[in-house]
Amino acid sequence: MTDELYLGGCTPEPLACYLKALGVLRLVVEQKLDANAKGSWQGNYFYLHTTCSADTLTRFFLHDYQPTPLINPWNGSTGFYPKDKAQKKLLESFCNAKAERFGVYGKTINKAKEQVHKLELTKQPSGEEKRRLLARLRNTLPDEAIKWLDTCALITSDPADQGGMSFPPLMGTGGNDGNFEFGRSFMQQLQQVIDLETGDPTELSERFLDAALFNKVVPDLKFFGKIGQFSPLAAGGANASPGYDAASRVNPWDFILMLEGTLLFIAGATRRYEQSGSGDFSYPFMVRPSNVGYGSAADGDSARAEIWVPLWQSPTRLAELQTLFREGRAKVGKRTARDGVDFARAISSFGVRRGVSQFIRYGFQERNGLSYFSIPLGRFSPHVNPQANRLAEIDGWLLSLDRNAQKDTAPASLKRSHRQLQTAIIRLAQQQNGHGHERQRKERMLDILIALGQIEASLDLSFRSKNEDEKFPRPVPQLSAYWVDACDDDSVEFRLACALAGQNLRERLVWVRPSGGRFSQWLNNDDGKTVWKHGALDKNLISLLKRQQIEALQQEKRGDKDASQKNKSNETNHSKQQKNLPKHRLPVASLDDVVCWIDGRVDDRRIEAIARGLSLVNLRSYRPGAKSPASKPSLAVPAAYSLVKLVHYRHLTQERLGKAVQSIFVKTKVSLPEAPLPITSKLLAKLATEQLEKATEIASRRLYASGYAPAIRMGLWEPGVGKAFLTGNRSRRIAAALAFPLSEWDMARLLKHVCKLKAQAESDTDSSEQVDINENP
């Protein structure tokens, strides 16, 4: 009967204990203690599903376990060269070991000595000599030793490698970490627990093993030795104890089983067609470091690499795990994940398909001087994440951005924005599924969109001041309309930003113009359309409105048809082709949201940040959800805003607003003029200079002269009602509010708010048909 054997000493963190669990499972299966044994992770512990009892497992390691021959003759201080006098005695003791369990070990050492002798090597080889030695060892060593060689080094045909060799970061630089040689230390630790002559366990071996496997507390055990980069707490050094310093110490069985576990991480060569035609180095779950997404992340962090180790809850055979580790090259789209950010994106599909419940992200970070340690950087639960997959739209551009942002000459603003984007992607990958997490997922998706907008702003600033020889990434490709719903956090700021972005905002923000399809290009010379500068949002919105007014006047001077009439005609023609599309294709703001803007109850910086991101989205293909046009705002709209908005909008015509007006003025048949209002250039200037009373006077006169019969004259309400203008400093906020487009229904409500339309003025004295200018619209 198969039982679950709880191994309390095998935990996912630190990396040494994770590798120890793999080593136990591998040895139990490969050395035939239980060929059908399985392993699983339950919570923070490893379970061995086996027919063996705890006592049987203990006896196996104490009396029957045959150590894998781990030797590194390509390294110095290993005992293979004349200068290695201190280590030669250790090597000879394993060569001459009489215990049967060390027979393969001695044979492996002798075979390696033969190859060193044939190559006439007298010192640690390098370059081509090292490559030749590795090739010979791979052809002559026993099969048991080849696994270790393939874990430590890989011979490639790529001249970019170190003389045609690659060394996986998990094993340092070829089975050593600086002066710390893994093969030599492995033999030293074996001597601590197994007698080389008899093969029997040493006096303290069982106590060490109980602590290593079952996490038993064994007092008064003194042990020392290095563990390298695999367990920072055991490595010693400064701040490693309550005192100032501490010596490194490691349980011999921890070290032995840990290195036995590394043999599942066998390196291999893969041909990455999506990048180049040459062979490239590949290592299970190993990618380049990304210095984002963890608490101590900093731009100057030094790291060798990252390894994302899998955890699985279902009992799994060794053969299945070996397949998983061989396929541990996660894909982002059609290419192999290159760094930590890529891997975070990739696990949403890879982990689900392979039955992985979690990945632990480890970074080999430089700490404690020049030493590298495996630091856990977070846990990620694989799940289908359609939001993360949206980045596939711009994957090629992201690769180009990574290359440029990592250059020493990259602007600091670009580096900051790039880190912000990478952090947002990592956080999205950590997001859980479920209805309770929907809002948080939208917020994290919005963070990505905001970061993309900031990156384009940084690139734009650098492009305008570029040297002729400098090259920059292309502008961000246009994003699909899917991003709107994926990022909509249902905030006032998002809705206002969306309304702004729908007005072709991108060309007002940056020197970017469409070049065909989804792609754009940088503008070499200023065409006057880009007006955005560093400063307050209301100031930039007023600049935008002034530019739009100038362009409208220029069109009139050229004798062009009214621009808005052209847009109306285009929308009409398009609606004939696609009758099912909503009438208002571009997003608009609501009156409630505009009132919040005027009252200053919004975050201006966030509105601008979101608008920059949404300016990258193809909003013309966005299909907003249906909203009732008859719904009324809940906030009182300032009368001054109603006046100036009507005049600025201009198109108060029967063709544009007729249907909406008839719905709003339920009891009265209203007839609107056929021609739009002329441009009132002074209106915006007065608002921008905080002359709100004068602006309302101008707006009132303009409406009266155009036949709209406003209830406000010369900046005042009709006698006995009071002034129309507002006190305080909200004039500039009202001016900037003109940049937010409204729906036709809301424009009709503003008409009802401040105007006596023709049919109403000629009606009888029935008060129910009169416009109540104090009514909350």
Side-chain angles (χ1 to χ4, degrees):
M1 179 179 295
T2 301
D3 291 325
E4 290 184 353
L5 190 57
Y6 165 69
L7 301 184
C10 299
T11 57
E13 299 177 22
L15 183 58
C17 291
Y18 175 88
L19 296 173
K20 179 170 56 173
L22 300 184
V24 170
L25 178 62
R26 187 183 73 80
L27 293 169
V28 166
V29 173
E30 290 186 351
Q31 298 193 12
K32 310 302 181 183
L33 177 64
D34 182 359
N36 296 316
K38 300 178 182 179
S40 68
W41 293 94
Q42 306 294 334
N44 282 321
Y45 298 99
F46 186 74
Y47 283 80
L48 189 65
H49 302 261
T50 177
T51 58
C52 302
S53 64
D55 290 339
T56 303
L57 184 66
T58 300
R59 284 197 303 270
F60 163 72
F61 281 110
L62 292 177
H63 299 282
D64 302 321
Y65 156 61
Q66 297 180 13
T68 304
L70 310 186
I71 60 169
N72 304 329
W74 55 87
N75 289 335
S77 301
T78 55
F80 285 92
Y81 303 103
K83 290 185 178 180
D84 303 341
K85 295 180 180 179
Q87 295 78 30
K88 195 166 185 177
K89 183 178 179 180
L90 174 66
L91 197 66
E92 292 299 327
S93 65
F94 274 80
C95 269
N96 302 324
K98 296 179 180 180
E100 183 179 352
R101 61 201 301 188
F102 292 105
V104 177
Y105 221 125
K107 180 180 177 182
T108 301
I109 294 173
N110 288 327
K111 288 284 187 182
K113 284 183 175 181
E114 290 178 10
Q115 299 308 317
V116 171
H117 179 71
K118 287 181 179 180
L119 290 175
E120 299 180 351
L121 298 175
T122 58
K123 62 179 181 179
Q124 176 187 0
S126 61
E128 181 59 25
E129 284 186 338
K130 191 171 186 176
R131 187 178 188 280
R132 289 171 60 196
L133 175 59
L134 285 168
R136 282 175 171 267
L137 291 172
R138 203 177 193 290
N139 292 331
T140 57
L141 292 183
D143 292 340
E144 294 85 349
I146 296 300
K147 292 180 181 179
W148 172 250
L149 193 151
D150 286 345
T151 303
C152 292
L154 178 68
I155 303 173
T156 72
S157 59
D158 192 343
D161 290 329
Q162 304 175 34
M165 298 170 290
S166 289
F167 303 103
L170 179 64
M171 305 311 299
T173 53
N176 67 295
D177 184 11
N179 294 326
F180 180 50
E181 218 285 323
F182 297 150
R184 183 185 72 237
S185 298
F186 182 75
M187 290 186 281
Q188 290 172 340
Q189 297 296 352
L190 282 172
Q191 284 185 314
Q192 297 296 315
V193 294
I194 302 175
D195 187 278
L196 297 182
E197 293 296 319
T198 64
D200 295 331
T202 60
E203 180 182 355
L204 297 177
S205 181
E206 184 173 359
R207 299 178 69 191
F208 283 132
L209 186 61
D210 284 342
L213 293 180
F214 307 112
N215 200 30
K216 291 184 178 180
V217 178
V218 184
D220 300 328
L221 273 185
K222 295 181 180 180
F223 49 89
F224 301 95
K226 297 181 179 179
I227 197 169
Q229 59 187 348
F230 302 101
S231 181
L233 288 177
N239 300 319
S241 72
Y244 294 105
D245 204 350
S248 61
R249 60 197 305 269
V250 59
N251 182 326
W253 278 112
D254 279 346
F255 189 88
I256 293 166
L257 296 175
M258 174 192 75
L259 287 190
E260 293 281 9
T262 62
L263 271 64
L264 264 71
F265 291 85
I266 295 177
T270 181
R271 190 171 294 278
R272 299 182 178 179
Y273 295 104
E274 70 277 4
Q275 295 179 15
S276 68
S278 62
D280 199 2
F281 172 72
S282 180
Y283 198 67
F285 304 112
M286 186 75 72
V287 289
R288 298 173 186 174
S290 294
N291 296 327
V292 294
Y294 52 95
S296 61
D299 194 28
D301 265 6
S302 177
R304 280 180 179 164
E306 289 182 14
I307 186 169
W308 293 60
V309 298
L311 304 181
W312 58 95
Q313 293 180 342
S314 300
T316 305
R317 296 179 183 274
L318 177 63
E320 295 171 324
L321 287 180
Q322 289 171 329
T323 300
L324 171 66
F325 279 72
R326 281 196 297 268
E327 297 178 358
R329 295 175 287 278
K331 295 283 187 178
V332 178
K334 295 183 179 180
R335 66 177 178 84
T336 303
R338 302 187 317 153
D339 56 24
V341 175
D342 276 355
F343 205 99
R345 291 171 55 192
I347 61 174
S348 62
S349 57
F350 177 84
V352 172
R353 291 198 307 268
R354 296 298 183 268
V356 177
S357 58
Q358 264 190 339
F359 282 94
I360 302 180
R361 178 190 180 197
Y362 280 99
F364 294 100
Q365 312 288 116
E366 186 179 279
R367 297 288 188 270
N368 194 19
L370 299 179
S371 300
Y372 285 89
F373 295 119
S374 56
I375 309 295
L377 305 179
R379 297 196 183 192
F380 294 73
S381 298
H383 54 266
V384 177
N385 192 341
Q387 287 85 351
N389 294 338
R390 300 311 308 180
L391 289 168
E393 298 177 17
I394 56 173
D395 192 60
W397 178 85
L398 286 173
L399 289 175
S400 174
L401 173 69
D402 290 344
R403 289 192 294 268
N404 282 272
Q406 291 170 8
K407 293 179 180 178
D408 293 337
T409 56
S413 60
L414 178 60
K415 288 180 177 290
R416 285 194 301 270
S417 300
H418 183 238
R419 286 180 56 80
Q420 180 183 348
L421 173 62
Q422 290 186 315
T423 301
I425 293 173
I426 289 282
R427 293 182 70 240
L428 179 64
Q430 289 179 300
Q431 177 61 49
Q432 299 294 319
N433 275 336
H435 297 293
H437 299 284
E438 181 65 23
R439 180 176 179 83
Q440 191 176 51
R441 186 159 51 249
K442 285 178 176 289
E443 291 174 350
R444 294 187 176 184
M445 196 72 179
L446 181 56
D447 289 342
I448 294 177
L449 187 65
I450 290 173
L452 289 172
Q454 294 300 324
I455 285 172
E456 185 157 275
S458 299
L459 290 172
D460 175 68
L461 183 63
S462 302
F463 183 84
R464 295 194 202 184
S465 58
K466 70 179 178 67
N467 298 319
E468 293 186 2
D469 296 334
E470 288 186 274
K471 295 183 180 180
F472 288 84
R474 295 181 66 175
V476 183
Q478 191 176 57
L479 304 175
S480 66
Y482 168 90
W483 284 76
V484 181
D485 288 333
C487 299
D488 188 356
D489 61 354
D490 196 29
S491 64
V492 175
E493 288 82 1
F494 186 90
R495 293 192 294 269
L496 290 176
C498 198
L500 284 178
Q503 304 178 77
N504 198 19
L505 183 65
R506 191 176 187 181
E507 67 177 15
R508 308 298 185 180
L509 293 169
V510 291
W511 281 17
V512 171
R513 302 295 180 267
S515 62
R518 296 175 51 242
F519 299 100
S520 303
Q521 62 185 6
W522 297 111
L523 188 68
N524 289 321
N525 298 298
D526 188 7
D527 60 0
K529 292 183 178 180
T530 303
V531 297
W532 219 267
K533 299 185 183 302
H534 182 73
L537 178 57
D538 59 352
K539 181 179 180 180
N540 278 311
L541 290 179
I542 292 172
S543 298
L544 169 63
L545 291 166
K546 289 179 178 178
R547 179 62 197 179
Q548 289 175 338
Q549 192 173 81
I550 291 172
E551 292 172 357
L553 289 169
Q554 289 174 342
Q555 287 178 340
E556 288 191 356
K557 288 181 180 179
R558 291 195 301 265
D560 292 344
K561 293 182 180 179
D562 185 81
S564 62
Q565 194 66 28
K566 283 185 178 180
N567 292 335
K568 179 67 177 179
S569 176
N570 291 338
E571 291 175 6
T572 303
N573 293 336
H574 192 71
S575 65
K576 292 179 180 178
Q577 301 173 8
Q578 298 179 323
K579 295 182 179 180
N580 294 328
L581 297 182
K583 185 175 182 180
H584 303 292
R585 296 182 59 195
L586 294 177
V588 294
S590 70
L591 281 172
D592 276 347
D593 292 342
V594 172
V595 172
C596 287
W597 162 265
I598 293 172
D599 291 343
R601 288 183 281 169
V602 294
D603 186 339
D604 291 8
R605 290 185 178 180
R606 184 162 179 80
I607 292 175
E608 179 176 349
I610 296 174
R612 282 188 179 275
L614 288 172
S615 72
L616 307 174
V617 177
N618 181 14
L619 291 175
R620 292 194 174 275
S621 63
Y622 174 57
R623 305 292 182 260
K627 295 182 179 179
S628 173
S631 59
K632 294 182 179 181
S634 59
L635 301 177
V637 181
Y641 168 75
S642 300
L643 268 175
V644 297
K645 180 63 178 178
L646 290 170
V647 175
H648 179 78
Y649 180 72
R650 297 177 56 216
H651 304 289
L652 310 177
T653 62
Q654 188 68 30
E655 181 181 4
R656 181 65 69 87
L657 298 183
K659 182 178 178 180
V661 167
Q662 297 305 330
S663 297
I664 299 299
F665 293 84
V666 180
K667 297 182 179 181
T668 307
K669 185 176 181 180
V670 178
S671 178
L672 296 176
E674 296 298 327
L677 275 64
I679 297 174
T680 308
S681 57
K682 292 183 179 180
L683 180 65
L684 189 59
K686 296 299 182 184
L687 288 171
T689 54
E690 300 186 10
Q691 300 181 59
L692 187 56
E693 182 176 3
K694 188 66 176 177
T696 57
E697 180 182 335
I698 293 172
S700 178
R701 287 181 174 180
R702 179 69 272 162
L703 289 171
Y704 186 80
S706 300
Y708 290 89
I712 302 171
R713 302 281 182 82
M714 304 295 290
L716 300 173
W717 290 108
E718 294 256 313
V721 178
K723 291 187 176 182
F725 64 89
L726 301 174
T727 59
N729 59 353
R730 289 198 290 175
S731 178
R732 291 180 62 83
R733 302 287 292 185
I734 289 177
L738 300 179
F740 300 110
L742 298 177
S743 69
E744 295 166 5
W745 303 95
D746 281 338
M747 292 306 304
R749 291 188 178 94
L750 295 186
L751 271 173
K752 184 178 181 182
H753 190 195
V754 299
C755 290
K756 294 179 179 179
L757 299 186
K758 184 176 181 180
Q760 293 171 307
E762 295 174 355
S763 64
D764 56 28
T765 58
D766 185 356
S767 61
S768 64
E769 294 186 358
Q770 302 301 314
V771 177
D772 183 0
I773 59 178
N774 288 322
E775 178 189 16
N776 181 12

